[in-house]
Amino acid sequence: MDGRAKSAAAVTLAEVAAAAGVGESTVSRVLRNHGSFSAKTRDRVMDAVNRLGYVPNMIAGTLASAGSRLVGVIVPSFSNIVFADVLRGASQALDDSGHQSVIGVSDYDPAREEELIASMLSWRPAAILLAGLEHTERARAMLKGGGARVAEMLDIDGNGLDLVVGFATAETGRASARHLLARGYRRIGYVGHDLSRDTRAAKRLAGFEDALAQSGLCLIDREIAPVPSSVEVGRDGLERLLARRPDLDAVYFSNDDMAVGGYFLCLSRGIAIPGRLALFGYNGLDVARLTPQPIATIRTPRVLIGETAARLALTGAPAQTVDVGFELIEGATA
Amino acid sequence: MDGRAKSAAAVTLAEVAAAAGVGESTVSRVLRNHGSFSAKTRDRVMDAVNRLGYVPNMIAGTLASAGSRLVGVIVPSFSNIVFADVLRGASQALDDSGHQSVIGVSDYDPAREEELIASMLSWRPAAILLAGLEHTERARAMLKGGGARVAEMLDIDGNGLDLVVGFATAETGRASARHLLARGYRRIGYVGHDLSRDTRAAKRLAGFEDALAQSGLCLIDREIAPVPSSVEVGRDGLERLLARRPDLDAVYFSNDDMAVGGYFLCLSRGIAIPGRLALFGYNGLDVARLTPQPIATIRTPRVLIGETAARLALTGAPAQTVDVGFELIEGATA
DNA sequence: ACATTCATTGGCAGCGCTGCCAATCAATTT
DNA sequence: AAATTGATTGGCAGCGCTGCCAATGAATGT
């Protein structure tokens, strides 16, 4: 009719009330199925709602009732399936309880995370879910005083603000190292990505080196690319590392994407796995489980973490730390 | 002090105004940097803001100004990097223009998508971004009258509601078929996933078969699993297909995840690629580009699609369809 | 027949902020 | 010196809905 995107002003609850011949509060009660009303009234209201195509205005409703059903979720990246999994778990729990998620991507940047927290808080969300325990000072202050529940996900190595749902990150690194050591590998290298931003990857590496040190060993060499992780970075990283240290017998990767890249390099080069070189990843991704030789890795319950964090945050659970654990997958590459 | 998550009632603009000794509208003007005010006033206001830790309430602001900076984004799934890419593009453009994205996952279910549209519309978003052109009748009606810009992404084969940003889906299937035919493959099979839900995969297959038909050929056999796509489903699907038709010389997969699964099967079985069997995927994923032999596939500009859709929707561009095209990657598996 | 209970219902004051308009005051203009 | 201009500023009416409370009328009890 009009050609414009904005149609005439939206139908309001008052108009529905007038059309149905009842009071505003009655319409409100019927729509929220809260309080009492007769069946006849309900039918009259619903009829008017459908006839007018009424869509409730949550903005107004939230303002009036001082309590939003929005939940802010901040993830470091979308490129990594890990966060997609966490989001999936959280989304599920959120949807089930009638909440909506407002999502932000921090790009592994604490300053950006801080900005996102500020702008999310201005929507007065019921809760904010974040990755990790590392935040700027101001971010922590805002979260503490923001009136929203806070859930920090994935890592439990440190002090949380409110709810913490994850697993011992450094311990995954230690477990990985112990596994390689138990299998007899001694000349171990590391191929990783930007550690200054990905603090959890840094914690894993620290745990890994810690366990090596307990056996009187250390990493023979490391190849760290100052970019986000990817299959390609893993492949190229391993290539450079091997060029420097052809005597390596095992490599620990910063995650499975990287490890798959390394695995592909070995396939191309005909490097025997694990005979000539052992590979160890992190995450327990699908693709790493289905390579001709499943990659040795640590599986983390990511969907569960998202789901648990969302559920606890929305059910008024007391502040607590939940350790969901992790699982070492032996695979066939180590 | 209190132990409860909800702290004392949040600071309001009125309190800031009182603390700064100015009027409410002045605070509002300073905070939004809109209208005029003296430098001295600005300092007084900002000082009070910082002192009280004031966080603006967008809910109230949006209600008062009748125009939200929220944008709804509905994706079919989080498990598929494709949508993560689209989201990344959209998120970026949204952030840059000061908008927030509210995200929902439809799980490839039109009814669920309809629900999500209804609940997003109740937040009076500035725009709604969706995947594909297929929606329920009621969903289309709500979107038309919802007062929000609508951008349908990824596919342009059909009629859009407002903005459409994507590429010719069926044509990707045709291009894939023509490529295989040009290379001399004639005994072609298909390995796919749940087509009833993933309508774009169905359109690709239709285009593929269409091109085969034009050469007087047809698919020799097909193996379709009624579940979402994954590396595993691709591997197992190819295994079953080959068991039935060991005479196949090429396989078209519903996407790259599936194709990578098929590729892994061939590696494990020692099936020569492309000598004995050619593989063709769809999406142009990173992992498919980095396998020892890069997988033949179609690369789609997903991040660009998300970014373009968001930008057009927020800049008041007229209703239009934007074809961003796609690119056939020859790879080494066909 | 009159008091008491209870399910329904409507009225209306905000929720915290923005938009509009009028008021104020110093700087210019005639 | 009176008038005009323009930059600042405060007041206040909503935005659309919910929460509270009073009003209504029917049902029940004594």
Side-chain angles (χ1 to χ4, degrees):
Chain A
M1 309 286 125
D2 177 5
R4 315 193 92 317
K6 293 273 174 196
S7 57
V11 180
T12 67
L13 184 146
E15 297 176 61
V16 174
V22 301
E24 295 183 29
S25 15
T26 301
V27 176
S28 176
R29 276 188 294 260
V30 171
L31 256 24
R32 286 175 301 150
N33 192 30
H34 175 279
S36 64
F37 44 81
S38 68
K40 196 173 66 179
T41 301
R42 185 197 54 222
D43 294 343
R44 280 241 299 284
V45 170
M46 292 316 289
D47 181 57
V49 164
N50 294 325
R51 198 144 35 80
L52 301 180
Y54 172 67
V55 177
N57 185 333
M58 285 289 206
I59 303 276
T62 300
L63 179 61
S65 64
S68 102
R69 301 193 76 71
L70 283 177
V71 171
V73 186
I74 300 178
V75 296
S77 153
F78 268 147
S79 315
N80 195 322
I81 313 214
V82 168
F83 302 109
D85 284 342
V86 171
L87 269 178
R88 186 146 49 90
S91 255
Q92 185 137 156
L94 259 28
D95 287 351
D96 291 351
S97 56
H99 292 259
Q100 297 262 225
S101 36
V102 178
I103 301 197
V105 182
S106 72
D107 229 357
Y108 284 104
D109 177 354
R112 176 78 191 122
E113 185 187 62
E114 181 184 301
E115 278 176 31
L116 285 170
I117 290 171
S119 77
M120 282 185 175
L121 244 22
S122 72
W123 287 99
R124 298 290 186 274
I128 288 198
L129 313 184
L130 316 133
L133 298 161
E134 284 75 31
H135 317 291
T136 66
E137 205 44 61
R138 202 166 81 86
R140 298 173 69 89
M142 289 192 295
L143 290 170
K144 268 188 204 150
R149 289 308 298 265
V150 177
E152 294 167 281
M153 304 182 290
L154 291 168
D155 187 14
I156 63 172
D157 290 351
N159 292 313
L161 264 34
D162 181 1
L163 293 160
V164 180
V165 182
F167 46 85
T169 302
E171 187 55 27
T172 62
R174 281 191 209 99
S176 306
R178 283 195 297 264
H179 185 256
L180 289 177
L181 292 173
R183 298 270 170 140
Y185 300 105
R186 290 296 179 274
R187 311 187 58 77
I188 306 176
Y190 176 75
V191 172
H193 63 277
D194 195 0
L195 293 178
S196 62
R197 304 196 137 212
D198 189 340
T199 56
R200 282 178 298 289
K203 285 182 176 182
R204 292 195 290 274
L205 175 56
F208 190 91
E209 295 196 80
D210 179 42
L212 288 187
Q214 290 197 357
S215 297
L217 293 172
C218 63
L219 284 176
I220 298 233
D221 198 358
R222 66 186 69 197
E223 174 66 32
I224 298 180
V227 297
S229 67
S230 71
V231 176
E232 184 165 22
V233 170
R235 187 192 60 181
D236 297 350
L238 179 58
E239 182 164 32
R240 277 195 296 277
L241 190 67
L242 281 178
R244 284 205 301 273
R245 302 295 306 231
D247 56 330
L248 287 171
D249 63 7
V251 177
Y252 179 48
F253 289 86
S254 53
N255 67 30
D256 278 355
D257 291 292
M258 303 283 287
V260 166
Y263 179 77
F264 286 165
L265 179 78
C266 293
L267 282 188
S268 303
R269 292 281 180 80
I271 297 173
I273 299 173
R276 165 71 188 77
L277 188 69
L279 307 178
F280 203 102
Y282 172 81
N283 266 340
L285 298 190
D286 246 36
V287 67
R289 180 170 58 83
L290 295 159
T291 41
Q293 298 170 80
I295 292 175
T297 187
I298 300 275
R299 176 142 64 219
T300 55
R302 300 178 291 275
V303 177
L304 176 66
I305 289 174
E307 191 251 313
T308 305
R311 194 165 38 72
L312 291 178
L314 299 176
T315 53
Q320 61 188 290
T321 294
V322 178
D323 185 351
V324 296
F326 59 84
E327 182 191 359
L328 193 149
I329 308 288
E330 299 210 347
T333 61
Chain B
M1 306 298 120
D2 178 5
R4 315 193 96 312
K6 294 271 175 195
S7 57
V11 180
T12 67
L13 185 145
E15 298 176 61
V16 174
V22 300
E24 295 182 29
S25 16
T26 302
V27 176
S28 174
R29 275 188 296 259
V30 170
L31 256 24
R32 285 175 301 149
N33 192 30
H34 175 279
S36 64
F37 45 82
S38 67
K40 197 174 65 178
T41 301
R42 185 197 53 222
D43 294 342
R44 280 242 298 283
V45 170
M46 292 315 289
D47 180 56
V49 164
N50 293 325
R51 198 146 33 81
L52 301 180
Y54 172 68
V55 177
N57 184 331
M58 284 290 206
I59 302 276
T62 301
L63 179 61
S65 66
S68 103
R69 301 192 76 71
L70 283 177
V71 171
V73 186
I74 300 178
V75 295
S77 153
F78 268 146
S79 314
N80 194 322
I81 314 216
V82 168
F83 303 109
D85 285 342
V86 171
L87 269 178
R88 186 146 48 90
S91 254
Q92 185 140 152
L94 258 28
D95 287 350
D96 291 351
S97 56
H99 292 258
Q100 296 262 222
S101 35
V102 177
I103 300 196
V105 182
S106 71
D107 228 358
Y108 283 105
D109 177 354
R112 177 78 191 122
E113 185 187 63
E114 182 183 300
E115 278 176 32
L116 284 170
I117 290 171
S119 76
M120 283 185 173
L121 245 22
S122 72
W123 287 99
R124 298 291 186 272
I128 288 197
L129 313 183
L130 315 135
L133 298 160
E134 283 76 30
H135 317 291
T136 67
E137 205 44 62
R138 201 166 83 85
R140 298 173 68 90
M142 289 192 295
L143 290 171
K144 268 189 204 148
R149 289 308 297 266
V150 177
E152 294 166 282
M153 304 183 290
L154 290 168
D155 187 16
I156 62 172
D157 290 349
N159 293 312
L161 264 34
D162 180 1
L163 294 161
V164 180
V165 182
F167 46 85
T169 301
E171 187 56 26
T172 62
R174 282 192 208 96
S176 306
R178 283 194 298 264
H179 185 257
L180 288 177
L181 291 173
R183 298 272 169 136
Y185 301 104
R186 290 294 179 274
R187 312 188 57 76
I188 305 176
Y190 176 74
V191 173
H193 63 278
D194 195 359
L195 293 178
S196 62
R197 305 195 136 211
D198 188 341
T199 55
R200 284 178 298 286
K203 284 181 176 182
R204 293 195 289 275
L205 176 57
F208 190 91
E209 295 196 81
D210 179 43
L212 287 187
Q214 290 197 357
S215 297
L217 293 173
C218 63
L219 283 177
I220 298 230
D221 197 359
R222 67 186 68 197
E223 174 66 30
I224 297 179
V227 298
S229 68
S230 72
V231 176
E232 184 166 21
V233 170
R235 185 191 62 180
D236 297 349
L238 179 58
E239 182 164 32
R240 276 196 296 278
L241 190 67
L242 280 177
R244 284 204 302 274
R245 302 295 306 230
D247 57 331
L248 287 171
D249 63 7
V251 177
Y252 179 48
F253 288 87
S254 52
N255 67 31
D256 278 356
D257 291 293
M258 303 282 287
V260 166
Y263 179 77
F264 287 164
L265 179 78
C266 294
L267 282 188
S268 302
R269 293 282 179 80
I271 298 172
I273 299 173
R276 164 72 188 76
L277 188 69
L279 308 179
F280 203 102
Y282 172 81
N283 266 338
L285 297 191
D286 247 35
V287 66
R289 178 170 60 83
L290 295 159
T291 41
Q293 298 169 81
I295 292 174
T297 186
I298 300 276
R299 176 142 65 220
T300 55
R302 300 178 291 274
V303 177
L304 176 67
I305 289 174
E307 191 251 313
T308 305
R311 194 165 40 71
L312 291 178
L314 298 177
T315 53
Q320 62 189 289
T321 293
V322 179
D323 185 350
V324 296
F326 59 84
E327 182 191 0
L328 192 147
I329 309 288
E330 298 209 348
T333 61

